[in-house]
Amino acid sequence: MIGVRGVAAVVKLNKVGYQSALGQQKALLAATRTVKYPKVGTVVLCEHDPVYTFGRRGEELFQNSRGPLCDTGAEVFKVGRGGLVTFHGPGQLVCYPILNLRLLKYNLM
């Protein structure tokens, strides 16, 4: 992070539902994109109740597994990220980095 002013803020949400955490992440993303935001981003730390998230490549798996997974008491969501399926549950620390890569002068290509 040479030449970057400000550091990432850390937000600890403790145990929070997946949808609530996602909503808070979207709000933090919007704040990170503002010119006045003094940090390079935010790192969100939390724990979820049992939840399965299905990425873009998991469409067929989502259609076939949603019912049985819901029957276990877990929440099931289709999300806009890549990948197949991810499980998060009690006792697992989840870290969501929300960073302005332009400020970090990082290129994904």
Side-chain angles (χ1 to χ4, degrees):
M1 292 199 297
I2 297 172
V4 176
R5 294 182 184 258
V7 295
V10 176
V11 174
K12 187 176 178 186
L13 298 179
N14 296 316
K15 196 170 191 179
V16 63
Y18 179 79
Q19 280 190 307
S20 177
L22 183 59
Q24 292 181 56
Q25 290 173 64
K26 288 179 180 181
L28 289 166
L29 174 61
T32 300
R33 289 178 170 163
T34 66
V35 176
K36 295 179 183 177
Y37 194 74
K39 308 282 186 204
V40 296
T42 304
V43 175
V44 178
L45 302 174
C46 64
E47 177 184 352
H48 294 303
D49 288 323
V51 61
Y52 291 89
T53 60
F54 287 79
R56 288 182 223 123
R57 291 186 343 157
E59 178 63 37
E60 184 178 337
L61 189 59
F62 175 78
Q63 296 301 328
N64 296 331
S65 304
R66 185 174 187 191
L69 291 175
C70 286
D71 290 345
T72 68
E75 293 183 293
V76 179
F77 295 99
K78 195 168 153 186
V79 296
R81 63 161 173 76
L84 290 172
V85 61
T86 302
F87 172 81
H88 298 298
Q92 178 190 27
L93 176 65
V94 182
C95 174
Y96 296 107
I98 303 165
L99 305 172
N100 185 330
L101 297 179
R102 288 187 185 107
L103 289 177
L104 293 170
K105 298 180 181 175
Y106 187 80
N107 187 344
L108 293 175
M109 307 252 180

